[in-house]
Amino acid sequence: MATNSIVDITKLSPKFQDLYAKAKDFLENDCIPAERIYNLQMGKGDDRWKVIPPIMEELKAKARSLGLWNLFLGREYGAYGAGLTNVEYGLIAELSGKSVKIMPEAMNCSAPDTGNMEVFAKYGTQAQKDKWLVPLLNGKIRSAFAMTEPAVASSDATNIELNIRREGNEYVINGRKWWISGAGDPRCAVHLVMGKTDPDNSNRYRQQSLVIVPADTPGITVVRPMQVFGYDDAPEGHMEIIYKDVRVPVENIILGEGRGFEVIQGRLGPGRIHHCMRCIGMAERSLEYMLARVTDPSKRTFGKSLSEHGTVVADIATSRIEIDQSRFLVLNAAQKIDEVKAKGALKEISMAKISAPNMLLRVLDRSMQAHGAAGISQDFPLAHYYASARTLRYADGPDEVHRNQLGRNELKRAAEIADRLKAQKTKSEDLISKL
């Protein structure tokens, strides 16, 4: 990373320092160089959803041999993870954002698998862990998380309508989901599906449950891959899915009926930070592209190098400031999670989640502008980064939800502030009265 005075890496654990050095080398010498061959090995036409570029398995094998594997699972998960703090993993997640299509998956640290593995590790029964968590941890299968629905405003998760009805020893699932990331992957073996088991419960947050649905269960129809500005993100994709009379055994419930909200809140906190740190990495690489472009001696306008134009210099400075500002917010949130868990870090998580994707969009826009038409072409990753960053303003809660939560929390301070201002005014008047 270009700058990081926020955290003194040399004061973090020796284990982290070793992994960080390996991750940095793996990024520069393996992942970024593999990006072109990965794209060339992608399937064509319908095979985009059937072919996994062979280079990925080679990279996964190397990452695992280096110990760069399942780093997202922290100390509380014991032998399942690497034992890093959220701050430590956040710094490595930033590196992975610089090769966001390759490096997270190569380290078995890519969404939605990371969040789903956390669900199984934190809330799953031993049988559920044996069947699903172990192969996910080994990188043998992939997974999907099915929550968002086209018929309702899913940013308010209490609106979710998919029906989960118990019949004897089975749950029968009916509903439509979309933007289900990972469901297009031929390795996707399991869906975690959010729906309502008790729609008439007076407590809106106890109506929902989360159930495990094997991807090959009869009644699942993948309707189509959704596209973000024309990108389909194959082979994982973001799919629209119909669940029609899908039957699973009752033991496939996660934690218990009516506890879906509890599970997804436990899943989302750290995951939001992972996304944010990858945003920092994408922003750093975007700025690097910009610096290379504007100092290219062949790129001159009006008799000057691009880097000699004041507006370009100002854009570079602004990007540097905004990247470091967002990094501070994200690492601050990670540290807060380490100290008091995600539930105690809601303010910090919200600030980071709002800041990072918006910062990335602005940095990308400046970099694309400096590249001219090339900046929005397939010759650079900037346009794809932009599509991903714009998506993150919705993913794991839209900006508006986080702003509303953050603002309401700030308003809780108003009464105390009013009392303090009143007391200050009284003391001031007392002083004046003594003149």
Side-chain angles (χ1 to χ4, degrees):
M1 87 188 46
T3 62
N4 188 20
S5 58
I6 299 166
V7 175
D8 184 350
I9 290 175
T10 64
K11 293 184 179 179
L12 298 178
S13 69
K15 180 176 184 178
F16 162 76
Q17 293 180 52
D18 178 62
L19 290 172
Y20 186 82
K22 290 177 178 177
K24 194 170 185 179
D25 182 75
F26 185 58
L27 166 71
E28 297 289 348
N29 295 307
D30 294 283
C31 294
I32 290 177
E35 289 174 347
R36 289 184 64 191
I37 189 67
Y38 180 95
N39 290 330
L40 290 170
Q41 290 177 344
M42 280 286 298
K44 303 298 185 287
D46 289 342
D47 283 347
R48 287 174 61 76
W49 307 103
K50 300 175 184 177
V51 174
I52 305 300
I55 189 67
M56 180 55 71
E57 289 303 317
E58 296 175 24
L59 290 168
K60 286 167 67 176
K62 180 164 186 179
R64 192 163 193 176
S65 72
L66 293 169
L68 300 173
W69 195 255
N70 295 331
L71 302 180
F72 67 97
L73 285 172
R75 294 171 179 172
E76 64 270 32
Y77 294 104
Y80 288 133
L84 301 178
T85 66
N86 280 284
V87 169
E88 289 172 337
Y89 174 64
L91 293 167
I92 293 177
E94 175 181 336
L95 291 177
S96 74
K98 297 183 80 171
S99 183
V100 74
K101 182 69 174 178
I102 302 291
M103 191 170 176
E105 183 180 348
M107 299 191 303
N108 211 40
C109 292
S110 58
D113 296 336
T114 48
N116 292 341
M117 284 188 268
E118 286 196 65
V119 167
F120 284 121
K122 190 172 184 178
Y123 302 109
T125 65
Q126 190 57 52
Q128 291 168 351
K129 291 177 182 178
D130 292 342
K131 187 169 185 178
W132 302 114
L133 178 59
V134 171
L136 280 167
L137 288 170
N138 287 325
K140 299 300 183 184
I141 64 172
R142 298 209 64 186
S143 61
F145 187 81
M147 182 171 172
T148 304
E149 298 180 4
V152 297
S154 300
S155 58
D156 178 355
T158 63
N159 289 332
I160 297 302
E161 292 182 338
L162 178 134
N163 182 260
I164 304 172
R165 185 182 73 256
R166 181 163 181 169
E167 287 188 4
N169 292 323
E170 292 182 317
Y171 287 114
V172 183
I173 302 167
N174 283 282
R176 182 186 292 261
K177 300 283 187 179
W178 71 343
W179 296 103
I180 308 309
S181 299
D185 196 309
R187 301 164 295 178
C188 181
V190 62
H191 301 183
L192 293 184
V193 181
M194 180 84 161
K196 288 186 175 178
T197 48
D198 188 8
D200 298 322
N201 193 311
S202 60
N203 184 342
R204 297 175 69 205
Y205 298 97
R206 296 287 292 180
Q207 297 175 353
Q208 300 79 11
S209 299
L210 194 66
V211 293
I212 302 165
V213 181
D216 60 357
T217 306
I220 298 177
T221 301
V222 176
V223 178
R224 58 174 175 159
M226 305 302 297
Q227 297 182 359
V228 183
F229 298 159
Y231 293 101
D232 62 13
D233 289 331
E236 301 88 3
H238 316 282
M239 315 307 280
E240 181 174 359
I241 298 175
I242 294 174
Y243 298 89
K244 176 68 174 176
D245 295 327
V246 174
R247 291 179 175 269
V248 298
V250 293
E251 55 263 29
N252 280 26
I253 196 83
I254 296 283
L255 201 58
E257 289 189 13
R259 302 185 72 177
F261 255 89
E262 179 182 348
V263 175
I264 65 170
Q265 287 304 311
R267 176 187 189 275
L268 285 177
R272 287 171 175 149
I273 297 302
H274 304 167
H275 281 313
C276 291
M277 289 308 295
R278 286 190 288 267
C279 282
I280 306 296
M282 283 190 276
E284 286 286 5
R285 191 172 178 191
S286 302
L287 180 56
E288 289 173 4
Y289 272 114
M290 183 177 184
L291 293 170
R293 181 74 173 194
V294 302
T295 55
D296 183 343
S298 69
K299 306 298 180 184
R300 298 176 63 83
T301 58
F302 306 104
K304 294 192 293 185
S305 165
L306 292 176
S307 62
E308 294 177 297
H309 290 277
T311 55
V312 172
V313 175
D315 281 350
I316 291 169
T318 301
S319 291
R320 177 75 275 149
I321 292 167
E322 291 181 349
I323 292 171
D324 284 1
Q325 286 173 334
S326 285
R327 181 184 287 115
F328 171 81
L329 287 174
V330 178
L331 289 176
N332 183 54
Q335 182 172 318
K336 192 73 172 181
I337 295 173
D338 285 332
E339 293 171 351
V340 296
K341 306 300 182 187
K343 195 170 183 179
L346 296 179
K347 180 183 79 170
E348 290 78 10
I349 291 171
S350 289
M351 288 192 292
K353 177 59 175 61
I354 294 164
S355 169
N358 283 283
M359 172 279 299
L360 175 55
L361 287 168
R362 294 191 297 271
V363 171
L364 279 165
D365 188 73
R366 297 182 197 110
S367 184
M368 288 190 290
Q369 197 72 8
H371 282 77
I376 55 173
S377 75
Q378 67 271 37
D379 290 350
F380 293 89
L382 303 174
H384 195 190
Y385 282 1
Y386 195 93
S388 298
R390 189 62 185 84
T391 302
L392 288 176
R393 289 192 59 204
Y394 304 115
D396 294 345
D399 289 0
E400 291 78 7
V401 170
H402 290 287
R403 288 182 191 277
N404 187 51
Q405 181 185 65
L406 183 60
R408 285 189 286 111
N409 284 336
E410 282 295 292
L411 284 168
K412 292 176 182 178
R413 303 169 52 224
E416 182 272 330
I417 290 171
D419 290 341
R420 181 154 39 87
L421 292 175
K422 184 178 179 180
Q424 290 168 354
K425 183 179 179 182
T426 299
K427 289 181 179 179
S428 176
E429 290 173 349
D430 287 344
L431 290 171
I432 292 172
S433 68
K434 295 175 181 177
L435 291 177

